[in-house]
Amino acid sequence: MEHIKEVVTVEEQAIAAKSAAKQLSLLTTAERNEALVAVAAQLEKDYEVILTANDKDMQAGEAKGFDAAFLDRLKLNRERIEDFASGLKEVVELEDPTDHVVSEWTLENGLHVSRITVPLGVIGMIYEARPNVTADATGLALKSGNAIVLKGGSSAIHTNTAIVEVIKKALQQTKVPAEAVQLIQSTDRKETAKLFTMKEHIDVLIPRGGASLIQAVVDSATVPVLETGVGNCHMYVDNTAQVDMAISTFLNAKTDRPAVCNALETLIVHRKWLETNKDALVQALQENGIQTHGDDIAVQLLPDCKPATEADWANEYLGLDVAVRVVDSVEEAIDHIDRYGTKHSEAIISEDGEAVNKFMKAVDAAALYHNASTRFTDGHALGFGAEIGISTQKLHARGPMGLPALTTYKYVMKGNGQTR
Amino acid sequence: MEHIKEVVTVEEQAIAAKSAAKQLSLLTTAERNEALVAVAAQLEKDYEVILTANDKDMQAGEAKGFDAAFLDRLKLNRERIEDFASGLKEVVELEDPTDHVVSEWTLENGLHVSRITVPLGVIGMIYEARPNVTADATGLALKSGNAIVLKGGSSAIHTNTAIVEVIKKALQQTKVPAEAVQLIQSTDRKETAKLFTMKEHIDVLIPRGGASLIQAVVDSATVPVLETGVGNCHMYVDNTAQVDMAISTFLNAKTDRPAVCNALETLIVHRKWLETNKDALVQALQENGIQTHGDDIAVQLLPDCKPATEADWANEYLGLDVAVRVVDSVEEAIDHIDRYGTKHSEAIISEDGEAVNKFMKAVDAAALYHNASTRFTDGHALGFGAEIGISTQKLHARGPMGLPALTTYKYVMKGNGQTR
């Protein structure tokens, strides 16, 4: 048994969030939008409080010797805080995903059935030291009528605390209860992990971050998880692929932003295409400083190609390296993707309708591309207006998740005394 | 490391199912329907093989002293097997839930985006000693293009083995690979529990059965679970409720089939309504042999009402008992449901539009009823044509689950060289 602590426990925070979620479910779209507008204004006004707190985290992070990329994600300035505010204002403009009648019908006995979208309830958001997630996720949660329990990376604790204080200050002037936003202060892993099993109070967990963070949540959670994950993305260049198109989509997928999850990691290429178009590909690789790691045939055909290990096929490079597999058919390409793909984004460049159809049917991934770069797997690029993350699981939401992923539905039955 | 065993391991079965799922994804609706027709015919033809195996399970069950209800669910006869076959034929007539274009649009750059429903892949079905689930779940899985790994109660192992052998015999004459249906033979809990964490091979787990079975799966699963669960259902009779309607819907919800999950367990009644209509309610209770367990006021007002304990509020009776809570407002009723409800089915009987709206908004459950019995929460009653189970979770599918619950979707992008 836990002893009562001076600070609130994770369970107390989850209960408060659940209670706030019930109040939220009774508010109108306008009332929730007004709260987001108030939060945006308060962030713009109180930016200095947040920057002061951020300085503390930055100093601690530098003292601990965190790397430059980590510190860059942690670091805030006035402009970045204004970006939080404008992000919230954009969310205000989006359509409310709740209270939509998805379908409705009347049974023969006159009972009217409607399926209506409703908020999930309480979202548990687990993420790394990226303060922007604190503001973004809160905005998306409140917009969709959900309460949120935030557990950010402990290296950002001062920044997150300041952001959440500003948010709560703003909410106090609105109809949205301030308790709808909870930031877990505890850094005790055992205490915070309780969030993962509080099925009574938390409706969904959304882990965002590296593979190990996501794995830790999935392994210990009994609360359902919306899994976002890694993208070990492939492009298959078929025998019939147009050479210019193959090279331009490949280069875009590989080099536009190599560190993101929809970037390309493995090029699968038909042997005949490679034999014919080797020179054009080699030139593109060299001009863009791309290091290849290939199978035996690739090593034979491509200059400076290193032999690929199992890790080359299985892991994301997130940089200017690419694995190259040479195959004799679309079936071989599909088998390779089956084995190593992470069900994120997979492309085929081909002029052969039958091969394309087979690829589209048999490859099991959130996003499949014919004759295009994999870089479009992104809520903004696809026109969703906002993105909570990119799901690599199959239940509930797959691929880029917009606001509707934060809703569920109710069946509402209206009768006049029907019995069965 | 596992040593190679003579019998196939759960992992080998899961891998075989995954491979079969890939073949299934390339088949047409007609080819899958033909397989179901063939299975139905084979079950009708080979019923004696199944009955012989069922005898073994029945004898073992009787020797172990299982109760009559358990043995009744286990027991097959020719008619029940013919019911399996006609169930499969009904599934053939249902619409294929896969390959629907849910939405489509074209980006400004000309990239065409479509969201298309596809099978989940491999379904892991965990259930008790009910051989009908073996046939029903297989039918629904194959109809929706999924492979299935079945783990039925070990008391039905001979029956299930015979049913699955008949199914596989039929499939061998069709385009659906026989490996799409796998029955786990192992009775070693540690071995079978491996199914719960094989994320690479199993796409979803569906536990069907009592609360302890479901809990065991949820607790150890890393594979996403479609949770079906208990229904601790309430009916709130508001101050404004029509007396005849309140009593007829209450009696239907409570007495029509008390053992099912959409049956009523707690009557919440407005104090003023009870004071006015006590005699009519008492007469209905007495005529139907319903035992009440109430709060202080109910004990005072209703004859033979026992004082309710915490268990009376929290658990399903599944018999002719009912808990009775007396309240002074719809808010109190909502609070009670919040505390004890299992998010299944909840009803309000009322002529007050404001109270009804509040109830519909604030009560968090899969199915909400205004002026009707809770008994309609059922795939067949709602016209879904088939039901995999009734989900009490919020992600993916909520309430009665028809064939669409066994699908996910892909984004399919068609371009002509688009880059970002």
Side-chain angles (χ1 to χ4, degrees), chain A residues 120 252 360 394 410, chain B residues 120 252 360 394 410 420:
Chain A
L120 283 169
N252 181 256
M360 293 303 187
K394 293 185 184 179
K410 276 177 181 174
Chain B
L120 282 170
N252 181 258
M360 293 303 187
K394 293 184 182 179
K410 276 176 180 175
R420 195 170 166 197

Side-chain angles (χ1 to χ4, degrees), chain A residues 16-50:
Chain A
K18 191 76 185 175
S19 164
K22 207 167 102 186
Q23 293 174 60
L24 264 170
S25 70
L26 298 170
L27 299 184
T28 63
T29 306
E31 286 165 339
R32 283 182 273 130
N33 279 338
E34 281 159 22
L36 293 185
V37 170
V39 170
Q42 202 74 49
L43 285 168
E44 283 168 342
K45 199 174 152 202
D46 290 351
Y47 72 95
E48 281 178 323
V49 181
I50 298 169

Side-chain angles (χ1 to χ4, degrees), chain B residues 175-405:
Chain B
K175 293 216 172 167
V176 169
E179 293 70 33
V181 184
Q182 298 285 336
L183 176 72
I184 293 182
Q185 299 280 346
S186 173
T187 50
D188 176 7
R189 267 167 196 259
K190 230 173 134 184
E191 175 69 10
T192 58
K194 287 184 185 163
L195 192 63
F196 306 165
T197 54
M198 280 181 197
K199 290 189 66 152
E200 274 176 76
H201 313 306
I202 308 287
D203 293 290
V204 60
L205 296 173
I206 308 181
R208 275 188 67 174
S212 67
L213 178 139
I214 292 164
Q215 199 55 46
V217 174
V218 168
D219 284 349
S220 58
T222 54
V223 174
V225 178
L226 275 185
E227 202 173 333
T228 64
V230 292
N232 187 26
C233 305
H234 301 75
M235 176 177 282
Y236 168 57
V237 174
D238 187 35
N239 190 23
T240 60
Q242 294 181 33
V243 60
D244 289 354
M245 192 192 287
I247 287 176
S248 62
T249 52
F250 161 70
L251 284 179
N252 181 258
K254 180 66 254 176
T255 67
D256 180 45
R257 281 187 72 190
V260 297
C261 60
N262 58 26
L264 191 73
E265 308 296 344
T266 297
L267 177 68
I268 307 175
V269 56
H270 195 287
R271 184 202 300 252
K272 285 189 188 156
W273 189 93
L274 185 58
E275 283 166 358
T276 313
N277 302 293
K278 195 186 81 168
D279 294 346
L281 180 64
V282 168
Q283 193 189 337
L285 291 167
Q286 286 173 345
E287 282 177 6
N288 289 275
I290 300 167
Q291 171 65 54
T292 51
H293 308 256
D295 61 13
D296 290 351
I297 304 167
V299 168
Q300 214 176 314
L301 291 174
L302 301 173
D304 306 321
C305 181
K306 296 180 183 171
T309 63
E310 188 68 12
D312 286 302
W313 306 124
N315 300 339
E316 291 177 292
Y317 290 116
L318 304 171
L320 286 177
D321 291 66
V322 71
V324 182
R325 174 79 202 276
V326 182
V327 298
D328 286 309
S329 66
V330 65
E331 288 79 9
E332 263 187 75
I334 293 169
D335 284 345
H336 182 94
I337 295 171
D338 250 13
R339 181 155 173 201
Y340 295 107
T342 54
K343 301 186 169 50
H344 195 295
S345 301
E346 312 291 355
I348 179 171
I349 311 298
S350 169
E351 300 299 317
D352 172 1
E354 208 177 308
V356 173
N357 276 344
K358 189 150 208 181
F359 189 91
M360 293 303 187
K361 280 268 186 195
V363 175
D364 184 14
L368 296 173
Y369 292 86
H370 172 218
N371 287 353
S373 162
T374 54
R375 288 275 295 118
F376 294 96
T377 308
D378 174 293
H380 294 282
L382 293 182
F384 292 177
E387 181 182 283
I388 294 107
I390 297 176
S391 159
T392 50
Q393 67 176 32
K394 293 184 182 179
L395 291 196
H396 191 68
R398 197 176 198 195
M401 295 187 286
L403 283 169

Side-chain angles (χ1 to χ4, degrees), chain A residues 1 37 73 176 188 210 245 290-291 336 398:
Chain A
M1 294 297 290
V37 170
R73 290 192 294 265
V176 169
D188 175 7
M245 192 192 287
I290 300 168
Q291 171 66 54
H336 182 95
R398 197 175 199 196

Side-chain angles (χ1 to χ4, degrees), chain A residues 326-399:
Chain A
V326 182
V327 297
D328 285 309
S329 66
V330 66
E331 288 79 9
E332 264 188 74
I334 293 169
D335 285 344
H336 182 95
I337 295 171
D338 250 14
R339 181 154 175 203
Y340 295 106
T342 53
K343 300 184 168 55
H344 195 293
S345 301
E346 311 292 355
I348 178 171
I349 310 299
S350 171
E351 298 300 316
D352 172 1
E354 209 179 307
V356 173
N357 276 345
K358 190 151 208 181
F359 189 92
M360 293 303 187
K361 280 270 186 192
V363 174
D364 183 17
L368 297 173
Y369 292 85
H370 173 218
N371 288 352
S373 161
T374 54
R375 288 274 296 117
F376 295 97
T377 308
D378 174 291
H380 294 281
L382 293 182
F384 293 178
E387 180 183 284
I388 295 106
I390 297 176
S391 161
T392 49
Q393 67 176 32
K394 293 185 184 179
L395 292 194
H396 191 68
R398 197 175 199 196

